[in-house]
Amino acid sequence: MSYKKILSTYNDGIARITLNSPNNLNSMDYSLLSELSEELDQCEKNANVKVIVLNGAGKGFSGGGDIAAMYKSIEEGQGFSQLIEKAAEVALKIKKLPKPVIASVHGPVAGAGFNVAIACDICIAAENALFLQAFVKIGLIPDCGGVYLLTRAVGAAKASELALTGKKISAREALDMGIVSEVYKKEELEEKTNKFALKMAKGPAVSYKNIKELIYKSQFSDFEEYLKEEVRAQVECSKTEDFKEGLKAFLEKRQPKYIGK
């Protein structure tokens, strides 16, 4: 497949998918999410793929949504339902894929990027990784299954703190919370991830498939229904003046006027 915003390679039973739009910190726009969704389908169909590694090119894994593009769409009177639905689709595919998906993250892991990372089965981080649920800062809710996945990863109280405040957490803090499984120096991340992925690629594929299915049934069986509610709520938020003000404030590098009201 030929893509514009992701790269994909296949070797030793490992599919490596790289978010490849570094000029805007691999923003999760509709194009990138569509390509990622298509490549996940290809990985599922390819019998030679035993495990998937998802990482990001440039300075970080993903900075989340493309704020400038969002503001332009709002000014032009366009909606966001297709983008939000595509984000939900990606999260669901990762959870239901019958093969292990490993996120290997560094630098900013923000917004939808954060939630794609925690949708993966295992998340490995560089020491410089910085996680944040940035949505509230522009008047939105976490998408890509964010609230659902985060509450299961860290519990309702800590998820509330992260989602309601947009607080930044370091890789070490994420490790302590159970969001990531390992933290390495930035220069070691690729080597350590590849070593782990290669070990998994040599493992029992049928066992992996059934383990993922059972985990999904025990912890995520209503995820698909939740995502429908998430899309509804995000569309509602995207129509507010708070959202427009949040985008404008971000672009103007100031605090939104609704903060403190």
Side-chain angles (χ1 to χ4, degrees):
M1 296 292 294
S2 178
Y3 298 115
K4 294 182 178 180
K5 293 198 172 182
I6 67 169
L7 298 174
S8 61
T9 61
Y10 300 83
N11 191 36
D12 297 325
I14 305 167
R16 295 175 177 84
I17 305 173
T18 301
L19 309 182
N20 189 40
S21 184
N23 290 337
N24 63 357
L25 269 177
N26 303 317
S27 292
M28 295 277 178
D29 59 17
Y30 187 83
S31 177
L32 186 147
L33 287 167
S34 296
E35 291 182 6
L36 178 54
S37 179
E38 174 61 28
E39 184 57 22
L40 290 170
D41 287 340
Q42 296 302 314
C43 290
E44 182 172 2
K45 296 173 186 175
N46 190 335
N48 293 321
V49 171
K50 307 300 182 183
V51 61
I52 297 96
V53 173
L54 181 61
N55 60 18
K59 296 180 179 179
F61 179 69
S62 176
D66 188 330
I67 302 297
M70 288 183 186
Y71 189 72
K72 181 180 179 182
S73 294
I74 286 291
E75 288 288 274
E76 294 174 353
Q78 299 176 12
F80 287 91
S81 60
Q82 285 188 320
L83 173 63
I84 300 161
E85 288 168 0
K86 186 60 67 173
E89 176 184 290
V90 166
L92 185 63
K93 283 188 178 182
I94 290 171
K95 297 313 296 180
K96 299 191 80 171
L97 196 74
K99 303 174 184 183
V101 184
I102 303 166
S104 182
V105 304
H106 71 287
V109 190
F114 189 157
N115 296 330
V116 166
I118 60 174
C120 295
D121 303 301
I122 297 167
C123 184
I124 301 171
E127 287 180 336
N128 74 336
L130 190 64
F131 297 80
L132 63 153
Q133 293 284 336
F135 304 92
V136 72
K137 295 183 180 296
I138 56 171
L140 293 180
I141 63 163
D143 55 25
C144 282
V147 169
Y148 187 102
L149 297 169
L150 198 60
T151 52
R152 283 155 179 76
V154 302
K158 183 56 69 173
S160 295
E161 177 188 351
L162 297 178
L164 291 171
T165 67
K167 175 184 177 181
K168 298 177 183 178
I169 57 172
S170 68
R172 292 293 175 185
E173 289 174 307
L175 178 66
D176 291 342
M177 292 179 193
I179 293 171
V180 304
S181 59
E182 298 287 349
V183 175
Y184 296 108
K185 293 180 180 179
K186 171 62 173 62
E187 58 270 22
E188 297 178 335
L189 179 64
E190 183 176 356
E191 176 192 352
K192 296 291 188 181
T193 301
N194 288 343
K195 183 178 180 180
F196 179 70
L198 184 59
K199 182 178 179 180
M200 291 207 73
K202 295 176 180 178
V206 175
S207 176
Y208 293 158
K209 176 181 76 72
N210 281 286
I211 288 170
K212 284 200 65 170
E213 285 179 357
L214 290 170
I215 289 174
Y216 188 90
K217 287 178 181 178
S218 68
Q219 294 294 316
F220 306 106
S221 60
D222 60 344
F223 188 35
E224 196 163 358
E225 289 303 310
Y226 164 85
L227 288 169
K228 294 176 184 178
E229 288 301 307
E230 178 184 274
V231 170
R232 178 203 59 75
Q234 192 74 300
V235 169
E236 180 182 350
C237 290
S238 72
K239 294 177 180 178
T240 65
E241 288 300 315
D242 280 345
F243 176 51
K244 186 174 182 179
E245 166 59 14
L247 294 177
K248 187 176 181 181
F250 181 91
L251 294 172
E252 294 176 355
K253 298 181 180 180
R254 60 173 175 81
Q255 288 290 334
K257 293 178 182 179
Y258 57 78
I259 288 181
K261 286 185 179 180

